[in-house]
Amino acid sequence: AMGEAKAEFDLSTQAINAIWAAIPSDQRDQLLPLQRAWIKKKAADCKVEAAQLSIDPAERESGRLHCEARMNNERSGQLRRFTYGNDNGY
């Protein structure tokens, strides 16, 4: 379960980083404070979610990784609208 959670997390991190890199730099500059706040909230929320899953450290870590991967994937969808090539006025 830990290997699967780590692989899922790594893929979601690669995806969100690629989407972030595809956002024009002026947009990234504007989004950066919000993105930093989102990262802190994600970390805190996933720690709480993982703590509620189990007292076993390995299960907690697996749960945290799954949570962060899920939230990364959701955020990727939100950030995609700012990327080059989207007909969104940016």
Side-chain angles (χ1 to χ4, degrees), residues 3-90:
E4 178 188 319
K6 179 81 170 100
E8 180 186 5
F9 172 75
D10 289 345
L11 281 173
S12 72
T13 300
Q14 289 173 8
I16 199 169
N17 287 341
I19 290 166
W20 182 257
I23 296 172
S25 62
D26 60 327
Q27 283 290 99
R28 275 199 315 259
D29 292 346
Q30 291 176 20
L31 291 169
L32 190 57
L34 291 173
Q35 187 65 7
R36 286 183 174 150
W38 175 84
I39 290 167
K40 287 180 182 178
K41 183 177 182 336
K42 172 187 71 164
D45 289 352
C46 287
K47 274 187 173 181
V48 169
E49 185 176 306
Q52 294 171 344
L53 286 175
S54 175
I55 58 169
D56 178 77
E59 288 179 18
R60 272 191 183 174
E61 180 62 6
S62 178
R64 185 189 66 78
L65 291 170
H66 278 299
C67 175
E68 290 211 18
R70 184 184 72 244
M71 293 183 78
N72 282 346
N73 291 333
E74 290 170 6
R75 184 68 173 168
S76 291
Q78 295 166 358
L79 291 174
R80 193 169 277 116
R81 66 189 168 115
F82 296 104
T83 58
Y84 286 113
N86 279 332
D87 190 17
N88 58 11
Y90 291 104

